[in-house]
Amino acid sequence: MSSIKDKMRPFYRTTEGGLFSDVTKADVGDVAEEMQRRGVALMSWADPFMPDPSIPKPVLDRAIELLQGGFPAHYTMPIGSMKLKKALAARLERKFGLKVDPARNILINPGSDIGLMLAMTPWIEPGDEVLVHDPSYASDFMNAELLGGVTVRVPTYREDGWHLRIEEYEKRLTPRTKMVLLNNPNNPTGTCYTKEELTELAAFIVKNDLICVCDQAFEDCLFPGAEMTYIASLPGMWERTVTVCSCSKGMGLSGFRVGWMIADDAVMDVFYGAAVNLQGATSTLAQEAIIPAVEDDSFIQDYIQVYDRRRRYAYELFNSCPGVSMDLPEAGFYAWIDVHELGTSAELTRLMAEEALVSLNDGSFYGSQGEGYLRVILACFKDDAVCFAALDRMAALFRRLAKEKGLFS
Ligand SMILES: Cc1ncc(COP(=O)(O)O)c(C=O)c1O
């Protein structure tokens, strides 16, 4: 008799979540709780100020008021609250210069992870190829494969600041190429793509009649000098782009589980039609409570000042360690650290958890270009001192390893 897994679609047969495998990832199973019990600093979840309380006051006040009124006991439509969509449309125009119709161009999701999967479903059929720049957020490689498609990795390089090389896309174009997945700003490299390079990428997409899904979960986390360009706003792109956003990163409200997708009416018609089946309704309480943060997001600038201090601290500290280096990220709230002289990403991730008591991410999870790198979330903890102490422990371990390898006397 065949096993229950043999009956599954091919990619699912090879997928493991962690119940039966040797899992050291902090985002699966009960590993995170066990690590916290051992005093390990969890700096592997891209979650501002985790684990400390950090709800902006207007959001907290609104949530309490809503709960007291009893309204959150009830559904919002699966396509999302019109009040929230109007607030998001106004913000899009104010902040990014994009004019959309809230009733026709925005869909609310329970977070952008489901939005990213939903964004691909109308197009990706078995065998279809999706070009994804590497390194990128790990889910961005897996979604196409879950649908039976093929993820084709397009390398980016540290020597370019991880910016895009269009010729790498051109080299990988085949008759099965259907989509380009863009993660802007990029997690884990912290690169924010320029208008010039996005214009080149857009021309490639239009010329080859492709679809674009743009993961913009970090669009609000820009350091001074970086500028957010919506690829959807470039010539020929609006009608072929689905943009996927969230309140998790910029607003630091990951636990509220609210994301949103932006697309042309013709595309949105399909998503609205399938929303109840594919995602269901988003939390009524969360949608209503985040409206004050959408209407006035000035608190994000305070968060960015915190991340700015921390990226500079990490930059000075790690670049002073022999065999270790990093660039100053343009966006996001993580450090992407080159450690290849000291060992593999997997070895160092394990050593950091065991000896420095810091849980961070193995760079190879973010693509083949990520081997030899570590990602550490700098946004964790309310108090800079807790974050800096964890980074100091990392640096002490880096120095010890460098000494053992004879990289300095
Ligand atoms: C690049 C990127 N996109 C999307 C997500 C999903 O976030 P959420 O589902 O909380 O919106 C994450 C979460 O880590 C991310 O890093």
Side-chain angles (χ1 to χ4, degrees), residues 46 111-113 116 137 183 187 215 217-218 246 248-249 254 257:
S112 63
D113 269 332
L116 287 165
Y137 178 48
N183 173 206
N187 172 14
D215 173 359
F218 284 92
S246 165
S248 295
K249 314 299 180 185
S254 62
R257 307 309 304 135

